[in-house]
């Protein structure tokens, strides 16, 4: 049937069927979490009395924007947080994370990353790379990190030693551009408890990117003080056009809002233009879209496992983020894979992605993203930094059936170039 529209090798189709059959119980688990989270979101909309008036955006200062205020309430309710700051004004996830860090840290304070080196784009924010550019380090914020142990796990004993005197303990839930395992909510809870046992007042901040709605609970439910993410990933449901969020303790959200806008004004300003409806609707769709992305991810992991590649995580593992990493082994395969993903996309399917120096990254990156929203990685997309271990990081897929076609096109592209045999 598929072959009616896309030119996929017969042997690949057979292998694909076999790979998909193996995903059955994973898919069932994903559907179960999805149903739970859809109910949770629907209940939050109902509790906060979301109404059509909330979709009409404001202009100018944006005073008394009930839509903006209600969206914050719905988000806080969904995340089981005291408060939330959900804004299209966050230009990216990195911006939201930066606002949170600058919002709560002061000169002389110590920030400790408990999950090794943070995501690439934060290196300059913290001051691990670059100088004299207004990074946290420039403002006198001290930085320390606890490296992951040999098996990529958080080193709890070392965490307890290093977190003494920390103002912020920072945890990245997702693997990012690494092959370490992503952190489950249960694991995050254990780390939170370890931090609290030595430094009860530390602000525990979670980079929640790619994690929202993958499990039934969020890190705020196991003691995290702040969680942060991007609206062009999971919680925007592929409908939000831009933006980010910070959710957590009310006093900290106020400080973050002072950093996003101005001290004293905080959450009370910021017009929503025409962005309220897509943010509301995106949140409503998010659990379902995340489930489709997860199924796409599981299918890809199963297929590439069949093809003999090393994949992270395994297709049958319990998930806590939507990322799949496949160790393809060399630059040619990375490029062919990404070209195929692009070909199997609904937008810009006719262009070929090329490696480039993406802002914030320190090696060339090839990115396939034939997406409705530029760079939206809740839509099927693949990124591969051209460096060891030559792995591609794959995420998104608004619908499973089209996501699956994208994966098959990526595989076909490798076949066409003679980089793969079936
Ligand atoms: C995507 C992501 C970010 C933020 O990236 P942006 O591209 O700025 O939205 C931060 N941390 C992790 C782990 C991410 O996956």
């Amino acid at each position: 049937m598929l072959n009616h529209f896309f030119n996929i090798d017969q042997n690949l189709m057979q292998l694909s069927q076999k790979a998909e059959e193996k995903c059955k119980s994973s898919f069932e688990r994903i559907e179960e979490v999805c149903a739970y989270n859809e109910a949770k979101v629907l209940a939050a909309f109902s509790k906060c009395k979301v109404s059509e008036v909330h979709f009409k955006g404001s202009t100018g200062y944006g005073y008394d924007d009930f839509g903006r205020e209600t969206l914050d309430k719905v988000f806080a309710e969904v995340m089981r947080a005291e408060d939330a700051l959900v804004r299209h004004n966050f230009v990216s996830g990195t911006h939201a994370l930066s606002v949170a860090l600058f919002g709560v840290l002061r000169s002389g304070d110590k920030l400790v990353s408990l999950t090794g080196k943070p995501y690439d784009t934060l290196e300059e924010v913290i001051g691990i790379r670059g100088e004299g550019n207004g990074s946290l380090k420039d403002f006198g914020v001290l930085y320390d990190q606890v490296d992951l142990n040999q098996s990529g796990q958080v080193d709890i004993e070392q965490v307890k030693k290093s977190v003494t005197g920390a103002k912020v303990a920072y945890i990245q839930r997702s693997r990012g551009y690494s092959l370490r395992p992503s952190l489950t909510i249960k694991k995050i809870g254990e780390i939170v408890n370890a931090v609290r046992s030595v430094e009860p007042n530390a602000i525990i901040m979670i980079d929640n990117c790619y994690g929202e709605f993958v499990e039934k609970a969020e890190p705020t439910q196991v003691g995290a003080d702040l969680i942060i993410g991007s609206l062009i990933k999971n919680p925007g449901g592929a409908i939000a056009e831009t933006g980010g969020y910070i959710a957590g303790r009310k006093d900290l959200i106020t400080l973050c809002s002072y950093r996003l806008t101005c001290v004293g004004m905080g959450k009370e300003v910021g017009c929503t233009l025409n962005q309220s409806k897509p943010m509301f609707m995106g949140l409503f769709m998010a659990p379902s879209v995340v489930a489709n992305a997860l199924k796409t991810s599981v299918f890809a992991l199963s297929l590439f496992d069949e093809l003999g590649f090393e994949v992270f995580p395994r297709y049958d593992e319990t998930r806590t983020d939507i990322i799949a990493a496949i160790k393809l082994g060399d630059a040619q395969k990375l490029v062919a894979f990404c070209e195929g993903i692009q070909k199997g996309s609904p937008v810009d399917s006719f262009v070929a992605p090329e490696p480039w120096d993406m802002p914030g990254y320190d090696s060339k990156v090839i990115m396939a993203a034939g997406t409705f929203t530029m760079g939206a990685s809740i839509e099927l997309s693949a990124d591969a930094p051209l460096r060891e271990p030559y792995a591609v990081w794959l995420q998104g897929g608004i619908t499973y059936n089209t996501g699956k076609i994208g994966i098959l096109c990526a595989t076909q592209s490798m076949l066409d170039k003679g980089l793969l045999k079936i």
Side-chain angles (χ1 to χ4, degrees):
M1 199 267 294
L2 232 165
N3 268 338
H4 205 71
F5 303 101
F6 293 88
N7 200 5
I8 308 287
D9 179 90
Q10 270 312 314
N11 291 337
L12 175 53
M13 283 311 297
Q14 269 173 19
L15 197 68
S16 151
Q17 219 156 37
K18 186 175 167 206
E20 193 174 41
E21 270 157 29
K22 289 167 85 178
C23 298
K24 229 174 146 190
S25 68
S26 296
F27 284 3
E28 276 168 18
R29 278 205 306 268
I30 291 165
E31 296 292 352
E32 204 247 326
V33 174
C34 175
Y36 180 93
N37 284 332
E38 283 192 89
K40 177 164 71 174
V41 170
L42 177 59
F45 271 65
S46 163
K47 185 175 176 186
C48 299
K49 298 191 165 65
V50 174
S51 173
E52 193 180 354
V53 294
H54 297 138
F55 305 150
K56 190 179 165 298
S58 58
T59 58
Y61 295 125
Y63 293 141
D64 297 324
D65 185 325
F66 301 119
R68 186 187 66 215
E69 289 166 12
T70 304
L71 179 62
D72 285 347
K73 281 193 191 130
V74 175
F75 218 91
E77 176 68 23
V78 167
M79 298 297 171
R80 303 295 186 254
E82 286 175 11
D83 200 0
L85 183 65
V86 188
R87 293 292 182 280
H88 77 270
N89 310 82
F90 287 118
V91 304
S92 65
T94 305
H95 184 208
L97 286 157
S98 176
V99 164
L101 289 166
F102 276 96
V104 304
L105 285 160
R106 302 290 177 263
S107 297
D109 284 347
K110 188 166 77 165
L111 159 68
V112 182
S113 167
L114 310 183
T115 41
K117 195 158 70 76
Y119 191 74
D120 297 50
T121 55
L122 287 166
E123 290 179 24
E124 284 178 276
V125 173
I126 294 168
I128 300 170
R129 271 193 293 135
E131 233 167 85
N133 51 6
S135 67
L136 287 169
K137 186 180 168 195
D138 266 7
F139 282 98
V141 173
L142 309 170
Y143 174 72
D144 194 8
Q145 77 185 32
V146 180
D147 289 324
L148 299 167
N149 68 19
Q150 292 261 310
S151 43
Q153 305 283 350
V154 174
D155 187 340
I156 296 279
E157 286 319 302
Q158 199 55 46
V159 163
K160 286 185 184 167
K161 283 182 201 149
S162 306
V163 90
T164 308
K167 173 80 169 286
V168 170
Y170 185 94
I171 297 168
Q172 182 183 307
R173 177 173 174 182
S174 160
R175 72 183 70 242
Y177 282 152
S178 86
L179 297 178
R180 62 109 161 150
S182 302
L183 297 179
T184 59
I185 296 297
K186 183 161 173 280
K187 195 90 203 171
I188 291 172
E190 288 167 20
I191 303 166
V192 167
N193 290 339
V195 173
R196 296 268 182 251
S197 72
V198 289
E199 197 55 69
N201 295 325
I203 298 166
I204 300 176
M205 189 184 285
I206 316 286
D207 174 351
N208 205 29
C209 282
Y210 288 131
E212 299 90 354
F213 304 118
V214 175
E215 294 193 55
K216 289 181 182 173
E218 298 296 334
T220 26
Q221 290 168 266
V222 291
D225 296 302
L226 285 178
I227 58 174
I228 298 120
S230 162
L231 293 190
I232 61 169
K233 295 181 181 172
N234 304 17
I239 292 177
E241 294 183 288
T242 183
Y245 78 90
I246 306 175
R249 249 169 60 189
K250 197 173 182 65
D251 57 327
L252 301 176
I253 293 294
T254 300
L255 289 176
C256 294
S257 73
Y258 285 178
R259 174 74 194 188
L260 176 66
T261 67
C262 303
V263 177
M265 291 185 183
K267 294 183 72 178
E268 290 171 51
V269 292
C271 67
T272 44
L273 301 172
N274 55 356
Q275 294 300 312
S276 287
K277 188 178 172 189
M279 286 193 286
F280 272 109
M281 202 172 162
L283 177 61
F284 181 73
M285 294 297 297
S288 164
V289 171
V290 165
N292 280 297
L294 273 172
K295 285 166 76 174
T296 303
S297 173
V298 167
F299 169 73
L301 291 165
S302 177
L303 179 65
F304 275 78
D305 178 55
E306 286 292 328
L307 288 166
F309 290 91
E310 214 182 330
V311 297
F312 307 84
R314 283 187 51 80
Y315 68 89
D316 52 359
E317 264 177 62
T318 305
R319 302 296 292 270
T320 190
D321 69 8
I322 63 166
I323 310 256
I326 306 167
K327 215 163 153 178
L328 293 178
D330 65 56
Q332 264 187 315
K333 291 197 184 84
L334 290 184
V335 173
F337 184 95
C338 290
E339 283 175 0
I341 290 285
Q342 189 76 33
K343 263 190 214 161
S345 298
V347 181
D348 291 332
S349 58
F350 52 88
V351 304
E354 277 179 21
W356 65 300
D357 291 305
M358 218 168 122
Y361 295 83
D362 69 354
S363 58
K364 275 199 186 333
V365 178
I366 182 164
M367 233 179 135
T371 55
F372 290 93
T373 295
M374 187 200 280
S377 43
I378 186 61
E379 302 182 47
L380 183 66
S381 50
D383 322 307
L386 295 190
R387 65 183 184 208
E388 286 289 347
Y390 293 101
V392 65
W393 278 264
L394 180 77
Q395 62 275 316
I398 307 182
T399 74
Y400 170 62
N401 287 314
T402 58
K404 182 176 140 189
I405 293 171
I407 305 301
L408 289 172
C409 288
T411 317
Q412 184 66 43
S413 165
M414 291 169 69
L415 274 178
D416 290 344
K417 290 193 169 170
L419 300 170
L420 202 61
K421 279 208 179 73
I422 300 178

